Amino acid sequence: TSLTAAREGWVAQLHALLKQRHGDCITVVNAAKGGENSTWGLAQLEGRVLVHRPDVVTVEFAMNDAARKSALTVAGARRNLETLIARIRAANPATRIILLTMNPLGAAVLARPADHPFSRAELDAHYAMVREVAAEQGLVLVDHHAAWLRLRAESPELFDRHVPDGVHPDPEISRRLILPAMLRALGLAPVEPE
């Protein structure tokens, strides 16, 4: 989704850090596309992901799978996710698959849940499904959602400042919240505080 595709988001930040630490030994390919869901992901898997013969694949579709325009039930999204996992494993059983949950919705969306274009009534259920699939399949799960919920509960003003449209985190909060969790998932040292 756009949570992964963002030009200055967590993938770009991770790529810059890995390049700084490891030079050209690591290649990062961001195959995400804003506005897309797991049905699109299945259709694009070969040409955007598997063609690169990846060692690690992160999968993040729940935010858009839960969107009204996707018309994807939780069960349909689960079938798509399980098929994605099976196809990645069939292409290379050694590929490490990391499933992601992302942020909850912010005040800009929650104030108008019925008619906001970013509304996602079943988002929590989609995130719960991702957690279940990760557990069932023995996959690494980076549950960003839990950290975001803590931030929103402890400091709703901070959450809303860094997620101004209610869906898309800004680069600063991505660097502070998402990037460290991704580094831990990859077994890498955290970013040194500035």
Side-chain angles (χ1 to χ4, degrees):
T1 71
S2 55
L3 303 181
T4 295
R7 272 185 349 143
E8 296 178 9
W10 69 267
V11 176
Q13 294 166 358
L14 179 64
H15 186 196
L17 184 65
L18 293 175
K19 190 156 185 70
Q20 176 187 10
R21 290 182 181 181
H22 305 286
D24 293 330
C25 294
I26 295 176
T27 300
V28 175
V29 175
N30 190 343
K33 185 175 178 188
E36 299 298 347
N37 65 19
S38 60
T39 301
W40 173 88
L42 274 172
Q44 300 298 317
L45 184 63
E46 181 64 41
R48 290 178 76 105
V49 178
L50 298 181
V51 69
H52 299 287
R53 301 179 53 198
D55 296 307
V56 178
V57 175
T58 62
V59 180
E60 177 269 310
F61 283 113
M63 181 64 82
N64 285 351
D65 282 351
R68 196 178 310 128
K69 72 174 190 165
S70 289
L72 262 175
T73 64
V74 175
R78 176 188 281 269
R79 280 190 300 276
N80 285 350
L81 181 56
E82 289 172 341
T83 303
L84 278 163
I85 292 164
R87 287 177 56 193
I88 293 167
R89 285 178 165 160
N92 180 0
T95 299
R96 189 169 174 206
I97 303 168
I98 301 174
L99 303 186
L100 310 177
T101 65
M102 298 302 275
N103 51 286
L105 302 174
V109 177
L110 295 176
R112 297 176 30 216
D115 65 344
H116 196 286
F118 290 158
S119 193
R120 277 123 167 104
E122 297 293 320
L123 183 58
D124 288 344
H126 280 268
Y127 283 156
M129 176 274 293
V130 172
R131 290 183 192 102
E132 290 168 9
V133 170
E136 290 167 7
Q137 302 238 1
L139 299 175
V140 172
L141 170 72
V142 181
D143 194 359
H144 295 295
H145 189 239
W148 282 102
L149 286 175
R150 281 191 300 278
L151 175 65
R152 192 175 71 178
E154 293 167 6
S155 184
E157 314 80 33
L158 182 66
F159 181 99
D160 288 329
R161 186 171 79 235
H162 289 293
V163 189
D165 69 355
V167 173
H168 301 94
D170 67 22
E172 180 184 339
I173 201 70
S174 292
R175 186 174 288 105
R176 289 173 41 193
L177 206 61
I178 299 172
L179 182 60
M182 295 309 300
L183 290 170
R184 285 191 298 276
L186 294 168
L188 301 172
V191 180
E192 294 298 321
E194 295 179 7

